Amino acid sequence: MPEQDPAAAAGGASRSEGVPEAGESGGIAAQLRALAEAKERLQGLLSAVLAIGGDLDLPAVLHRIVTTAMELAGARYGALGILAPSGDRLEQFITAGLSPQERAALEGVDFPRGRGVLGHLIRYPEPLRVPDIAAHPASVGFPPGHPPMRTLLGVAITVRGEIYGDLYLSERQDGRPFDAADEEVVRALAGAAGIAIENARLFGYVRDSAAQFQRMLLPTLPDLSPFSGAAAYRTAASPAGVGGDWYDAVILPDRACAAVIGDVVGHDLHAAAAMAQARNMLRALLYDRRSPPSSVLTQLDRTVHAITDLPVTTACLARIEPAAGGDWTIRWSTAGHPPPLVVGPDGGAWYLHGEPGIPIGVDTAIDRPDHTHPLPGGATVLLFTDGLVERPDRDLDEGLDALAELAAAHAAEPLDELVRTLADHHPGDGHDDMAVLAIRTPASP
C-alpha cells in the first residue's frame, strides 16, 4: 500500500469530519438564524394565544385580538371588522394603533361598512396580502383625514364554522410589505381567536342567564307606604355568577316596616335555592309574630336547622317603627353581617354599629343581641351585602368608609337612583355578588 502524504491525510480527515468550508459556514449561519426566528415567532404565537384566551369579556377579547396580531406581524395599524348577521357588511369596526391626532382627524367619519379592499375579503374570505392598496382593483380610496396606508394583510376569523369577522393589518413598522410568514402566523392567531370569541360569548350568555335567574328569585318590593323603598342586585364577575345574596321588605300588621338583607355562603344554584328558602321562611316568621329582630333570626335559625340543609348565612334584620314626636325608631339585629348605614336628611352618613350575632347555621343555642337607635324623618337606611365593600387588598373598614362617602354624596337622589349608584360604583372588587336595599322614613311634619 503506497504511503500517504501526512498533510494530505490530515486534510482529508478534516473534510471527512464535516468541517464546513467558508461558503458552507455562511449557509449554515443563515439556517440557524432562520430557525431562531421561527422559534421566536412560534413562542410569540403561543404567548399571543394565551393572552387572547385569558379574558372572558367580549369587548376586551376583541380588542386584544387586534393588538396581539399587530405585535406578531409588526404592524402599525390593526382593525377587526365584525360582520352583520346578513354577512354582507360590517356592523362593528374595532381599531388599534391610531394616534389621538389621527383619531381626531377621523372625527365624524363613519366606520367602514365593507366596501373596497375590505369588502373584497368579505366576498372572498381567503387570506389577502396587498402590497399596494391603491393599485388593487377593488380599491375605492380612503375618506378625508384617513392616515396614509399602503400595505394590507387580511384574514377571516371563523366562529363555530361561520365567518365572524375579518382581521386587518396595515403598514409594517419596517416599511416592508407583509410576507408569507406574517400571513401564516396571523392565520394561526385567527384560529385561536375564534375559540376565544366563542368562549367569551358563552361566558356572557351564562353570566346574563345567571343574573336573570337570580332576579327571578328576588322579590319585587311591595308598596311600603308611608315608607319608600328600592333595591338593586348585581351578579358576581364569574361564569357561575348566580349567588346567595337576597333582600326583602314588608309592611307588618302593626304598620312597622321590616327590612332584611342576607348572604348565603356559595355561588351556585344550591346557594340561590337556599336563599329563596330563607327569604320565604323569614317573611312568614315576620308576619306571624311581633318579636324583636333577634328573636325572629333565632327562630329562622332553628327552623332551617330542623327542616333543611341551609348553608351558613349572614343577615341583618331591621324594624322601623313610629316614635314620639313624629320621628322613628330602628330596631335591628345582625347575624355576622355588615351593620346598617344611615344617611340623614342633611346628607350626613353613619353606621349603626352594635354587637354582631353569629351567622345563621352555626349554633342555635347562642343568644343574639338587639339594638335600638332613633331615626329622623327623611332618613335613609341602607342594608347591603359585603360584596359592595370587600377587596382582598384593602381593609374592610376602608371599604365601609368609601361606601358611606359615596352614599352621602348621592343622598339627595331618588332611592332608585341611589341604589343603582351604589351598586354600579361600589368600592368592592366586583368578584362577589352584591345587593343593596334602601328604606326611607317619611319626612317629618
Side-chain angles (χ1 to χ4, degrees):
M1 185 178 209
E3 293 185 4
Q4 189 175 14
D5 179 68
S14 297
R15 284 190 294 274
S16 66
E17 291 172 5
V19 176
E21 296 181 355
E24 294 175 344
S25 64
I28 292 175
Q31 292 176 13
L32 290 175
R33 284 194 300 271
L35 287 172
E37 291 174 359
K39 180 180 178 181
E40 182 179 353
R41 182 161 291 206
L42 177 60
Q43 185 61 48
L45 176 61
L46 293 175
S47 299
V49 169
L50 292 174
I52 64 174
D55 204 326
L56 289 174
D57 179 66
L58 184 57
V61 168
L62 298 178
H63 188 266
R64 181 74 64 86
I65 290 170
V66 178
T67 57
T68 303
M70 292 168 58
E71 293 172 4
L72 286 177
R76 180 180 175 186
Y77 301 106
L80 176 59
I82 300 174
L83 293 181
S86 60
D88 60 352
R89 61 183 178 83
L90 301 177
E91 70 171 5
Q92 189 177 353
F93 202 70
I94 301 162
T95 63
L98 293 172
S99 68
Q101 295 77 14
E102 289 170 333
R103 289 189 180 277
L106 289 171
E107 189 73 27
V109 176
D110 197 11
F111 69 82
R113 299 290 179 176
R115 298 176 58 242
V117 180
L118 302 189
H120 179 89
L121 189 59
I122 296 175
R123 294 187 297 273
Y124 308 101
E126 297 295 330
L128 178 66
R129 272 190 289 139
V130 180
D132 187 356
I133 295 174
H136 192 276
S139 177
V140 293
F142 294 105
H146 196 283
M149 295 183 184
R150 184 175 60 88
T151 61
L152 178 74
L153 171 59
V155 175
I157 294 179
T158 301
V159 176
R160 298 182 69 87
E162 297 184 357
I163 303 298
Y164 176 81
D166 296 313
L167 180 59
Y168 306 102
L169 300 176
S170 183
E171 300 303 290
R172 268 179 42 163
Q173 297 282 3
D174 59 10
R176 297 166 56 191
F178 295 103
D179 56 28
D182 297 323
E183 178 184 321
E184 183 179 1
V185 74
V186 174
R187 287 181 65 182
L189 178 70
I195 298 174
I197 291 170
E198 177 61 11
N199 288 342
R201 294 202 303 185
L202 179 61
F203 169 81
Y205 172 77
V206 172
R207 179 189 57 200
D208 295 343
S209 298
Q212 182 179 7
F213 175 68
Q214 181 81 14
R215 292 189 179 95
M216 289 174 63
L217 293 176
L218 292 170
T220 299
L221 294 182
D223 182 8
L224 299 176
S225 301
F227 301 88
S228 302
Y233 172 81
R234 299 291 183 269
T235 55
S238 62
V242 61
D245 285 14
W246 53 284
Y247 57 81
D248 202 359
V250 293
I251 295 295
L252 301 178
D254 63 355
R255 305 311 298 165
C257 178
V260 62
I261 200 156
D263 186 356
V264 177
V265 172
H267 296 92
D268 52 24
L269 292 177
H270 179 61
M275 170 271 292
Q277 283 183 307
R279 181 180 63 81
N280 293 337
M281 289 180 189
L282 185 61
R283 180 174 279 198
L285 291 172
L286 286 170
Y287 270 110
D288 185 54
R289 59 188 64 224
R290 298 185 181 184
S291 304
S294 64
S295 178
V296 177
L297 289 178
T298 297
Q299 187 58 44
L300 175 66
D301 199 353
R302 292 171 179 167
T303 303
V304 298
H305 179 75
I307 67 176
T308 187
D309 59 345
L310 183 75
V312 172
T313 302
T314 70
C316 179
L317 173 61
R319 275 177 55 99
I320 305 174
E321 52 197 44
D327 286 337
W328 303 86
T329 297
I330 180 171
R331 306 181 189 276
W332 79 97
S333 182
T334 62
H337 203 82
L341 172 62
V342 178
V343 181
D346 59 353
W350 65 93
Y351 285 99
L352 297 177
H353 291 289
E355 180 187 352
I358 63 171
I360 295 168
V362 176
D363 189 341
T364 59
I366 298 178
D367 291 335
R368 300 182 180 280
D370 274 301
H371 309 285
T372 303
H373 197 278
L375 287 178
T380 302
V381 178
L382 293 164
L383 307 180
F384 56 93
T385 55
D386 55 11
L388 233 66
V389 294
E390 281 191 336
R391 297 178 66 100
D393 59 345
R394 185 175 62 189
D395 186 77
L396 179 60
D397 288 340
E398 294 183 46
L400 291 172
D401 291 343
L403 182 66
E405 292 178 8
L406 181 64
H410 296 271
E413 295 179 357
L415 282 191
D416 286 341
E417 294 182 19
L418 175 60
V419 295
R420 280 198 299 269
T421 298
L422 297 181
D424 292 337
H425 304 285
H426 57 86
D429 64 1
H431 285 85
D432 194 4
D433 55 333
M434 62 193 76
V436 56
L437 171 65
I439 304 294
R440 182 168 289 167
T441 59
S444 298

